[in-house]
Every structure is written in C-alpha cells, then in structure tokens.
Amino acid sequence: MKRAATLSALACLLAVTAAAPAVSHAPAGRGATTAAAGRASALDTVPRRGVLRVCTTGDYRPFSHLDRTTGSYSGVDITMAADLAKSLDATPRYVATTWAGLVGDLSAGRCDIAMGGVSVTLQRARHVAFSEPTRTDGKTPIVRCADKDKYRTLAQIDRPGTRVVVNPGGTNEEFARAHLKRATLTVHPDNTTIFDEIIAGRADVMMTDAGETRYQAKIHPELCSLHPDQPFSFSEKAYALPRGDHDFQEYVDQWVHLATHDGTYRKYEDAWMK
C-alpha cells in the first residue's frame, strides 16, 4: 500500500510539472521589448538592410524640400536624416508622403521614421511615437509687409473679409479651423506655392510655424513674419517613429539629444534660417 501511494504521488508531481509554463532565463537586455512584440527592431534591421527609409512630405522648407526637377531632397531634417542613416551604417531613402497620410504611412511600415518639420500632437501620438524634440515652435502669421499692422492678433485676423489660406491635412489647417469663425478660409493644395497666394494678393494671411514664417520672409522680401518669438500657440518638432519599437526610439532619442546639444542641429538650421 505504501509503495502504491508513493508511486501515485510521484505521478501527480510529474503531471503538475509538465503542465507548468516554461520560465525564460533570457536576459532582459536590448531586443526584449521588440521580441515580445513579435518583430525585430529597426535598430537591427536598418543596418542589415543598409537603408533607412524616411517618410517626408518634401513641401515644408526649411525642414524638407523636394526639387521636382532633379528629384532631390534638401532641408534641415534631410541633412539630419543623412546623419542618422550614417550612424546606423546605412543610407537614407526618402519615401514621399503627405501631411494627411504621414501617420498612416509610418504605421503601415512603409518607412522607419518620419522627418521634415513634424509637429508633436496628441492626435498623432495616439498612433505613433515621437523622439525627443528638436525645437520648440508655434503658429504665427505671415502677411504682406504692407499689411503687417492689420493682422497681428487672432481678433484682427478673424474678421469678415480677411482671406486666410492653409495647406491641407496638417496642424496649420487644424489650428485655423479651431480659431477662425468669421474670416474666409481657403485650402490651397500645394504647400510649395501657397505663399505666392499672399504675394499675388489672392490671400491675406497664412498662419504656420514660426520657423517656416522666418524662412519664407527671408526668401520673399514682400512678406513679413509677425512676432515669431511670441507665437499664438506652443508646439514642438520631433521625429515620428513606429509605436512599440522601444529600442529604436531610445537610440533616436539619444542621437537627437546629442545633435541638439553639441551644435549640430543648430548649425544645419542656421544654414537655412540666416
């Protein structure tokens, strides 16, 4: 009887042990989070591929500009993209996108990162991650210099007869629709020619990020950037990344931190702004 009871207890112990989940003793180092998500980190795949895929609109100088004649890109964040790719033993490949489609293209895996004057918003942050910011910014008006005293405040702008122009699908349109109720709002589909609408007298005001107004006022003497140091809103520029790839995000954060503190980013920006 004793022997039978012992054998029965041993059988029960073996059955419980077999049913218990296996315990992983793998170190919780780099790659643990992305492995848990079932995909490799871009921190590993980009060097293996030798290409960093960068989503960019190409219509937002000084950050990202596509020369449609040559097919080449330039801008502050285009130079930064080349630096990031080099740090990963890769070369950049630019993937054309739009402001309305940027988040979807990144989320769908068409690129590894989105760069080119991307503003951090809570709506975007629901779908993508953001790097450490590269600069602070905010919406401010750009007008014909002859009208610089007429449109300094939102109250002055939001009047019947004021013609405000915006580009579609981004934070400029979002800001204008949220704050303008009486002015006439026109959506101009091409952000590379939108400032010509003001110069030609077909529009009076555009409200966009202070960095862009400074640059456009520099290349168009007819236009004036109004109080770019005191914009109507606060925002930050950063680089958009796929959600869940914590290893790659940590790497990009560290890279941005170094570039914004050792003078690299400021040097690239000054080359366009000054």
Side-chain angles (χ1 to χ4, degrees):
M1 290 289 292
K2 268 187 178 182
R3 189 166 182 273
T6 301
L7 290 173
S8 177
L10 180 59
C12 289
L13 178 60
L14 289 173
V16 170
T17 302
V23 177
S24 172
H25 298 286
R30 187 170 66 79
T33 50
T34 48
R39 64 176 182 270
S41 171
L43 187 58
D44 301 314
T45 60
V46 169
R48 283 201 297 267
R49 188 194 308 135
V51 172
L52 176 70
R53 301 170 303 162
V54 182
C55 275
T56 193
T57 62
D59 65 353
Y60 189 16
R61 291 181 292 183
F63 302 105
S64 172
H65 173 65
L66 170 63
D67 186 324
R68 299 187 186 280
T69 303
T70 64
S72 61
Y73 285 86
S74 61
V76 178
D77 284 339
I78 299 303
T79 308
M80 287 286 284
D83 282 3
L84 176 59
K86 183 178 180 181
S87 77
L88 293 166
D89 300 319
T91 57
R93 185 173 76 209
Y94 301 105
V95 179
T97 188
T98 64
W99 290 110
L102 184 147
V103 167
D105 286 339
L106 181 62
S107 299
R110 297 186 183 97
C111 49
D112 305 302
I113 189 170
M115 305 175 73
V118 181
S119 295
V120 178
T121 69
L122 292 178
Q123 182 60 33
R124 287 171 175 165
R126 292 176 62 183
H127 306 282
V128 300
F130 282 100
S131 71
E132 182 173 310
T134 56
R135 74 189 316 270
T136 59
D137 223 324
K139 304 302 179 188
T140 205
I142 184 167
V143 304
R144 291 180 295 277
C145 291
D147 295 334
K148 64 182 180 181
D149 295 324
K150 291 174 60 177
Y151 303 114
R152 300 191 69 83
T153 68
L154 279 170
Q156 288 177 309
I157 294 169
D158 193 20
R159 291 175 176 172
T162 303
R163 299 165 301 170
V164 178
V165 65
V166 296
N167 57 308
T171 56
N172 291 338
E173 182 180 7
E174 179 183 327
F175 180 85
R177 292 195 183 281
H179 292 88
L180 302 181
K181 307 305 177 185
R182 295 181 294 175
T184 300
L185 187 64
T186 300
V187 177
H188 185 76
D190 186 356
N191 200 39
T192 62
T193 61
I194 196 168
F195 298 95
D196 295 335
E197 297 298 295
I198 303 173
I199 294 170
R202 292 185 291 268
D204 302 310
V205 183
M206 181 181 180
M207 289 180 290
T208 185
D209 293 315
E212 185 176 31
T213 66
R214 281 192 175 101
Y215 176 75
Q216 291 295 333
K218 172 187 171 182
I219 64 173
H220 297 298
E222 311 95 319
L223 299 180
C224 282
S225 169
L226 305 185
H227 50 75
D229 294 325
Q230 295 179 306
F232 293 143
S233 63
F234 169 83
S235 67
E236 293 177 316
K237 301 291 188 195
Y239 303 132
L241 302 155
R243 280 177 55 180
D245 192 344
H246 303 295
D247 296 341
F248 189 48
Q249 183 177 353
E250 287 175 3
Y251 181 85
V252 173
D253 277 343
Q254 186 60 45
W255 171 76
V256 170
H257 183 80
L258 292 172
T260 54
H261 286 76
D262 68 6
T264 298
Y265 184 85
R266 175 59 63 88
K267 178 179 69 176
Y268 296 157
E269 195 172 79
D270 286 350
W272 283 80
M273 299 287 200
K274 292 185 177 181

